Amino acid sequence: MNGSNILDTNRLETLMSYDIMDTHPEVIYDEITSLAASICDTPTSLISLVDDKRQFFKSHHGLDTTGTPIKDSFCKHIISEDIDLLIVEDTHKDNRFSNNSLVIGDPNVGFYAGASLTAENGSRLGTLCVIDYAPRKLNELQIKSLRTLAKQVVHLLDLRKSKKIEEDQKIDLEQKGKLLDNIVNATGIGIWERNLINDSLTLNEQALEIYGLNKTTLSEFKTETWFSLIHKDDLAEVEKKMFDCLNYPSDGCNVQYRMLQEGGNYKWIQDKGKVLQWSEDKKPQLMYGTVQDITEKKNYTTELHRVKNNQEAMINSTKDLMWSVDLNFRLITANTAYHELVTKIQGEPFKEGELVFSDHVPIQVTKKWKAYYNKTLTSGAFSVKQKIQDPKKFWTTYGLTSFDLLYNKEGEKIGITCFSKDITSEVLSQQVLIGAKEELQKIMDTSLDIICTLDEDGYFLSVNKACTQIWGYEPKDIIGTQYLELVYDEDIKLTEDSAESVLSGKKVVNFENRYKHKNGAIVPMLWSSNWDKKDRVYYCIARDNTEKKKAELLLKNSERRFKTLVQESSDIISILDLEAIFTYVSPSVMKVLGAAPEMYTGTNAFDYIHVDDLERVKERFNSIIHSESVEIEPFRFKDINGEWKWFENIITNQLNEPSINGVVVTTRDITEKRKAEEKLENSERRYKTLVQEGSDMICIVNEKAVFSYASPTSAKILNITPEEFVGNSAFDRVHPDDYDMVYNEFLKVLEIPQVTIKPFRYKHGSGHWIWLETVITNKLDEPTISGIVVNSKDVTTKVLHLNAIEEQNAQLKKIAWTQSHIVRAPVARLMGLINLLTDDKGKLNVEEKEQVLNYIFTSADEIDTVIKDIVENTINVIDIEENK
């Protein structure tokens, strides 16, 4: 097998291609080691990746270390011995490991079982292993599960690698100008386990999120439920692949489908699974697999097609010719203009893969184009200008064709790109410029700027008439004068330095100094000059800079005021183009979002907006084309820490303003205001729920006990609507026997903050009396209430129960008192008769003793009858109370 050597270059390159070494722990891998340890009933499980020097533990369940040197590695033997599975039931009896530092020292490994992590190209990357600290054995199911989980680890590594490849492709596409606005990052992976015997499902946290489920509803989630949430257009394919997977033997299933979410939207899901356990009659019992949210990936593919179509539309809309050929000069692709020209020449276009030479053109033309292609392959990019004369027409045209090499992603040469443009108008323009030189002198004399020449010593050789207007001198007064005589004294040194710079061969543009007007005034000047080495002459153009200086001063003051306003403002001022790309962001962004303005310049504003607000914000932003100003309702925007801030925006159309050429956006952070509003809203919602759904009735009365408010619960408690209470006195329905007590307690609340009124009777809407327990609180000074808050609870059942108990106790006391007197008389007689017998001492004869005994028996029977009556009466009292 490939890569079975620890130092094998291909194996190490394959391992490095996953970019997994020394990465942080990830839940998905920790869940696999936890599952492996649980299945194999071991305290430790590791995902071990082996390079040429050490083994790195991507996940280390039950072991507090992230790796060991390769000399101590058990896992390296799977690679060096080129085996898929290594089981060491007793490390102390295996010569390979008996002296290993991990066996004879901490952590004292006694058992090891590892399954190879084998890449698609056959390279062994490491192992998924389980470890125990005492010798042991694994059964077949545990071994099979360990192998399956090892394959799952490789699958996860491949998915992780695919995600990195997608990100690299995104960067590559952006560098080549493919104008791809959104490339969706690969999403997280969920793990599921389905028990087919009882149709139950186990999901990790990521799988719960991807499916849109929660742990509460998971117990009720059956296969039929799952099928009912799949999009009807995908259901047939899912059912087919699912049932094929459940038929023995099965390699598993891989299916993509849309699944209904709680909000009514569909999410694209990729499901991969395999049956891990079959019954003896080949019926599936246990499945295991992964699930991935590929919604963004699906959307990205759609967007990629859209961008590609747009690019093709732009390429095909130009009249310039664009085509590319391979190294054998066969057509790779071409735009519409190229195909139309070829069709015009030979009656039909070239097909892709055909040689781009036509029998309908002279052989000399074909040789010339072959020479161009060969020159590109040997020398690289170049351009050629051609003059074309059509004998059937009476004019000449000119073309410019550019050739360049075409490379693949690996930098290999794969062909030639060609671009041909009609430059007739440009050539004719150059010819017009030649004729324009003849008019130059006339223009000089009519120019408002000074146009002059000076010799190398600085004396004026020529000057146009503009000097009269700007300096007050006639041209004849200037010619022959040394220019420094006119320069303002403080600027002479600066002007001399500039002249030396021009003399050295540098062209000076927009050099500023001051000249002295004939009347003594100072005139700011703006110079551009060039030294002609051949003619030994300075050629200069000078402009009166007075108005510009004034404008600059005004602009400087204006900019200073603007800068102060922008930098010190708590609002963010930004400029965006119509694609929402930032071209300017004010420094206040640092205070609001914690990032420098440069971080946002060149990025798309939509990339920072919450997905739930994105479409709404885009719609409002795009409407600015037809408006002068647009206000965007509050939305969420991500700051430097990844937290969401609430913004409100006003955007102003300044596309036609040359100094701005964009959309000006004024952004205000309303996060705290939003939080306060949400807090108030939640508070009001809680209050409303407590008041409307509670078991108590809450009312507000004035100091005369007249209702101004009653909660909706009044209808449940008293069968009286809140509207019936408002404007009426609270004492109208108090029982006459309780009126004085309630009234006196009510008066107390005018003096103290709160009073509890013991239960009293209040008339129900149906006419009967119920018992209320009430707490009244003085809130007359609270502006939002301005009254007395009354909280009342129906305690009728409680009061009746307490009254019944008191009545029962009274009955029992009465029975006890009455019966105790009845019992006392026979007991006294009985005691006297017993004392008579005790003190007899031979005084009574036999007949008298028999008579005393009969009296004793009679008294005992009487006591027994009384006791039975007491018990029966007591039971009757209790029965009566229970029947109540």
Side-chain angles (χ1 to χ4, degrees):
M1 181 176 288
N2 296 331
S4 61
N5 191 309
I6 293 292
L7 302 178
D8 182 78
T9 303
N10 290 332
R11 188 193 79 83
L12 293 173
E13 287 179 352
T14 302
L15 175 61
M16 291 303 106
S17 71
Y18 286 95
D19 195 18
I20 193 71
M21 300 296 284
D22 298 318
T23 56
H24 293 294
E26 296 179 49
V27 173
I28 188 128
Y29 298 101
D30 292 342
E31 289 176 346
I32 288 182
T33 53
S34 176
L35 181 60
S38 176
I39 291 173
C40 297
D41 193 21
T42 61
T44 301
S45 176
L46 308 171
I47 294 177
S48 176
L49 301 166
V50 182
D51 63 14
D52 57 338
K53 296 182 180 63
R54 45 72 190 260
Q55 61 179 356
F56 164 66
F57 300 149
K58 176 59 182 173
S59 178
H60 45 95
H61 176 81
L63 190 64
D64 189 18
T65 183
T66 58
T68 70
I70 199 168
K71 65 182 180 65
D72 299 325
S73 172
F74 280 64
C75 304
K76 71 179 181 181
H77 291 274
I78 282 188
I79 299 172
S80 59
E81 296 176 21
D82 195 16
I83 54 178
D84 290 323
L85 184 71
L86 173 63
I87 298 178
V88 183
E89 295 179 348
D90 189 342
T91 59
H92 301 282
K93 294 181 180 179
D94 192 308
N95 292 332
R96 294 172 295 177
F97 306 108
S98 58
N99 291 321
N100 189 291
S101 62
L102 300 178
V103 173
I104 61 179
D106 189 54
N108 306 115
V109 176
F111 165 81
Y112 172 90
S116 174
L117 301 179
T118 307
E120 188 175 355
N121 66 358
S123 297
R124 300 190 188 278
L125 310 177
T127 69
L128 170 64
C129 64
V130 292
I131 294 173
D132 205 338
Y133 306 113
R136 55 162 304 150
K137 294 184 178 181
L138 296 181
N139 59 41
E140 288 301 321
L141 179 59
Q142 290 172 323
I143 295 172
K144 184 177 180 181
S145 298
L146 188 64
R147 287 176 179 270
T148 301
L149 290 176
K151 293 178 181 178
Q152 189 64 38
V153 171
V154 176
H155 175 62
L156 293 174
L157 292 174
D158 287 336
L159 288 175
R160 190 180 187 277
K161 183 177 179 180
S162 297
K163 175 181 177 181
K164 186 176 185 302
I165 291 174
E166 286 188 7
E167 291 173 349
D168 291 342
Q169 288 174 342
K170 174 182 177 182
I171 296 173
D172 186 56
L173 288 173
E174 289 175 348
Q175 290 176 343
K176 293 182 179 181
K178 296 302 183 179
L179 303 178
L180 298 177
D181 296 329
N182 297 300
I183 295 179
V184 181
N185 293 323
T187 57
I189 302 207
I191 297 177
W192 56 263
E193 180 182 299
R194 183 178 293 278
N195 187 323
L196 299 170
I197 298 175
N198 58 17
D199 195 15
S200 64
L201 185 66
T202 302
L203 304 175
N204 70 350
E205 292 294 336
Q206 287 174 294
L208 282 169
E209 182 178 352
I210 292 171
Y211 280 129
L213 303 174
N214 57 64
K215 293 182 179 179
T216 304
T217 59
L218 185 60
S219 60
E220 304 298 326
F221 193 76
K222 304 297 181 183
T223 301
E224 291 183 0
T225 312
W226 177 54
F227 282 147
S228 69
L229 297 176
I230 295 175
H231 195 287
K232 60 184 181 62
D233 295 341
D234 305 332
L235 185 57
E237 181 185 3
V238 175
E239 288 181 332
K240 181 180 182 305
K241 289 190 175 182
M242 179 67 177
F243 292 132
D244 288 346
C245 178
L246 297 179
N247 290 326
Y248 183 88
S250 169
D251 294 327
C253 65
N254 184 350
V255 62
Q256 296 179 358
Y257 58 88
R258 285 160 288 183
M259 188 169 182
L260 184 64
Q261 301 298 297
E262 190 173 291
N265 297 323
Y266 281 92
K267 179 189 291 183
W268 273 100
I269 286 175
Q270 179 167 0
D271 233 325
K272 293 184 180 181
K274 185 176 182 180
V275 177
L276 293 182
Q277 182 176 316
W278 303 84
S279 64
E280 293 182 357
D281 56 350
K282 308 305 182 186
K283 298 294 183 182
Q285 294 182 328
L286 182 66
M287 283 190 74
Y288 184 82
T290 62
V291 60
Q292 186 176 10
D293 181 354
I294 60 169
T295 305
E296 292 187 2
K297 185 176 180 181
K298 284 284 187 180
N299 294 338
Y300 163 70
T301 303
T302 303
E303 179 66 11
L304 188 62
H305 286 307
R306 183 188 70 79
V307 173
K308 182 179 179 182
N309 292 337
N310 289 343
Q311 290 176 332
E312 291 178 353
M314 288 189 292
I315 292 172
N316 291 327
S317 65
T318 180
K319 293 182 179 179
D320 299 330
L321 309 181
M322 303 172 68
W323 73 100
S324 59
V325 297
D326 63 18
L327 300 178
N328 297 315
F329 312 146
R330 296 181 181 276
L331 184 67
I332 297 176
T333 186
N335 70 344
T336 302
Y338 178 84
H339 286 309
E340 289 176 349
L341 178 60
V342 173
T343 302
K344 185 177 180 181
I345 293 172
Q346 64 179 21
E348 61 179 356
F350 291 126
K351 296 182 177 63
E352 292 183 1
E354 289 184 345
L355 285 170
V356 290
F357 304 120
S358 174
D359 296 334
H360 295 77
V361 299
I363 189 66
Q364 295 86 350
V365 175
T366 299
K367 288 182 178 179
K368 178 178 68 174
W369 280 98
K370 285 185 178 179
Y372 290 155
Y373 293 143
N374 283 318
K375 180 179 178 180
T376 307
L377 293 176
T378 57
S379 305
F382 76 99
S383 298
V384 60
K385 188 182 294 184
Q386 296 172 301
K387 181 178 180 180
I388 306 167
Q389 291 180 314
D390 190 340
K392 297 180 181 180
K393 300 178 180 178
F394 298 100
W395 60 78
T396 301
T397 59
Y398 299 86
L400 179 66
T401 304
S402 300
F403 302 86
D404 202 352
L405 290 171
L406 180 65
Y407 298 93
N408 63 11
K409 184 178 179 182
E410 288 73 30
E412 300 169 340
K413 189 189 305 180
I414 61 172
I416 304 166
T417 61
C418 311
F419 177 79
S420 186
K421 179 181 180 182
D422 184 354
I423 60 169
T424 303
S425 61
E426 297 174 19
V427 174
L428 294 178
S429 297
Q430 292 176 354
Q431 294 173 351
V432 170
L433 288 175
I434 295 173
K437 290 181 179 180
E438 300 174 0
E439 304 296 326
L440 180 59
Q441 189 59 46
K442 295 179 181 179
I443 296 173
M444 285 180 60
D445 290 337
T446 58
S447 173
L448 297 176
D449 295 336
I450 295 175
I451 303 173
C452 60
T453 59
L454 294 87
D455 65 16
E456 58 185 312
D457 295 322
Y459 289 90
F460 285 99
L461 299 176
S462 67
V463 64
N464 67 341
K465 294 180 179 180
C467 66
T468 304
Q469 179 67 30
I470 297 175
W471 293 334
Y473 296 100
E474 294 293 333
K476 63 182 179 62
D477 299 328
I478 296 293
I479 295 173
T481 303
Q482 223 275 347
Y483 78 93
L484 289 177
E485 295 180 16
L486 300 177
V487 175
Y488 184 60
D489 294 345
E490 294 182 3
D491 296 344
I492 289 177
K493 179 65 171 64
L494 184 66
T495 305
E496 286 179 330
D497 293 342
S498 176
E500 289 180 7
S501 178
V502 175
L503 190 61
S504 67
K506 296 181 180 179
K507 184 177 181 180
V508 172
V509 179
N510 295 333
F511 169 71
E512 297 183 9
N513 66 359
R514 290 166 288 182
Y515 267 57
K516 294 177 285 189
H517 193 276
K518 186 177 181 180
N519 62 12
I522 303 300
V523 184
M525 299 300 296
L526 186 67
W527 291 85
S528 295
S529 57
N530 187 38
W531 170 252
D532 190 317
K533 188 175 182 180
K534 180 180 178 182
D535 296 336
R536 310 295 294 175
V537 171
Y538 288 102
Y539 290 95
C540 307
I541 298 176
R543 175 171 295 177
D544 185 351
N545 208 26
T546 304
E547 296 303 320
K548 181 183 176 185
K549 282 293 183 182
K550 291 179 180 179
E552 286 180 350
L553 181 59
L554 292 173
L555 179 61
K556 185 176 181 180
N557 292 334
S558 175
E559 286 181 344
R560 186 182 297 112
R561 288 192 296 270
F562 172 76
K563 186 176 181 181
T564 301
L565 288 172
V566 169
Q567 289 186 344
E568 301 303 324
S569 173
S570 60
D571 293 348
I572 302 173
I573 309 296
S574 53
I575 301 175
L576 285 71
D577 63 17
L578 287 179
E579 298 297 325
I581 302 297
F582 286 108
T583 60
Y584 169 80
V585 181
S586 68
S588 55
V589 72
M590 177 66 77
K591 293 190 295 185
V592 179
L593 294 176
E598 296 77 16
M599 174 180 171
Y600 294 97
T601 304
T603 64
N604 194 297
F606 295 147
D607 292 343
Y608 305 96
I609 294 176
H610 196 286
V611 65
D612 294 342
D613 305 329
L614 186 58
E615 290 303 319
R616 171 173 59 83
V617 175
K618 279 186 177 180
E619 181 181 354
R620 293 293 291 161
F621 179 85
N622 292 334
S623 68
I624 192 63
I625 297 178
H626 309 293
S627 307
E628 293 182 0
S629 178
V630 172
E631 183 175 346
I632 301 180
E633 295 298 320
F635 60 90
R636 286 158 287 185
F637 195 92
K638 187 182 295 183
D639 69 5
I640 189 66
N641 298 318
E643 297 179 355
W644 295 106
K645 293 198 176 261
W646 280 95
F647 283 170
E648 60 181 8
N649 276 1
I650 295 178
I651 55 178
T652 306
N653 189 335
Q654 294 293 325
L655 294 167
N656 296 324
E657 172 58 48
S659 62
I660 297 177
N661 190 28
V663 176
V664 177
V665 182
T666 303
T667 302
R668 176 161 295 173
D669 183 359
I670 60 167
T671 305
E672 295 304 320
K673 175 184 175 184
R674 189 81 180 192
K675 289 180 179 177
E677 290 175 348
E678 290 178 354
K679 186 175 181 181
L680 178 60
E681 183 180 343
N682 292 336
S683 176
E684 290 178 346
R685 187 182 297 112
R686 287 194 299 269
Y687 170 75
K688 186 175 180 181
T689 301
L690 288 171
V691 170
Q692 293 186 352
E693 305 300 331
S695 60
D696 293 356
M697 181 176 73
I698 301 174
C699 304
I700 300 175
V701 299
N702 62 14
E703 61 270 23
K704 295 182 180 180
V706 175
F707 287 103
S708 59
Y709 168 80
S711 65
T713 51
S714 66
K716 293 191 299 185
I717 297 174
L718 291 169
N719 194 23
I720 302 172
T721 64
E723 293 75 17
E724 293 179 86
F725 275 109
V726 175
N728 294 316
S729 173
F731 294 115
D732 291 346
R733 290 180 171 271
V734 176
H735 194 283
D737 294 345
D738 302 330
Y739 187 93
D740 291 341
M741 181 273 294
V742 175
Y743 181 78
N744 291 330
E745 291 298 312
F746 179 81
L747 292 179
K748 292 179 182 178
V749 84
L750 300 176
E751 304 296 333
I752 59 177
Q754 190 176 74
V755 174
T756 299
I757 303 177
K758 67 181 183 179
F760 61 91
R761 284 159 289 184
Y762 203 82
K763 183 176 287 186
H764 191 272
S766 301
H768 62 276
W769 298 97
I770 68 169
W771 289 87
L772 294 182
E773 186 176 74
T774 301
V775 176
I776 54 177
T777 306
N778 189 331
K779 292 292 181 180
L780 290 167
D781 295 330
E782 172 60 50
T784 58
I785 298 176
S786 297
I788 296 170
V789 178
V790 181
N791 290 71
S792 297
K793 180 184 294 186
D794 183 357
V795 294
T796 303
T797 302
K798 174 183 175 182
V799 171
L800 293 178
H801 182 65
L802 291 174
N803 290 342
I805 291 174
E806 291 179 359
E807 183 179 347
Q808 183 181 17
N809 289 339
Q811 290 290 335
L812 291 173
K813 289 179 180 178
K814 182 179 178 181
I815 291 170
W817 184 86
T818 303
Q819 298 300 336
S820 65
H821 287 74
I822 297 174
V823 170
R824 192 174 299 159
V827 168
R829 287 196 304 272
L830 184 61
M831 292 301 296
L833 292 171
I834 291 172
N835 289 334
L836 181 62
L837 288 177
T838 304
D839 298 332
D840 176 21
K841 298 180 180 180
K843 296 177 182 181
L844 298 176
N845 56 34
V846 174
E847 183 179 346
E848 288 175 333
K849 288 182 179 180
E850 184 178 350
Q851 187 177 5
V852 169
L853 285 174
N854 287 333
Y855 287 145
I856 289 173
F857 289 141
T858 301
S859 297
D861 289 340
E862 186 178 351
I863 290 172
D864 182 60
T865 301
V866 169
I867 290 172
K868 288 180 179 179
D869 289 343
I870 292 172
V871 172
E872 185 178 350
N873 290 336
T874 302
I875 291 173
N876 289 338
V877 170
I878 293 174
D879 288 343
I880 291 172
E881 178 57 30
E882 289 179 349
N883 291 332
K884 288 182 180 181

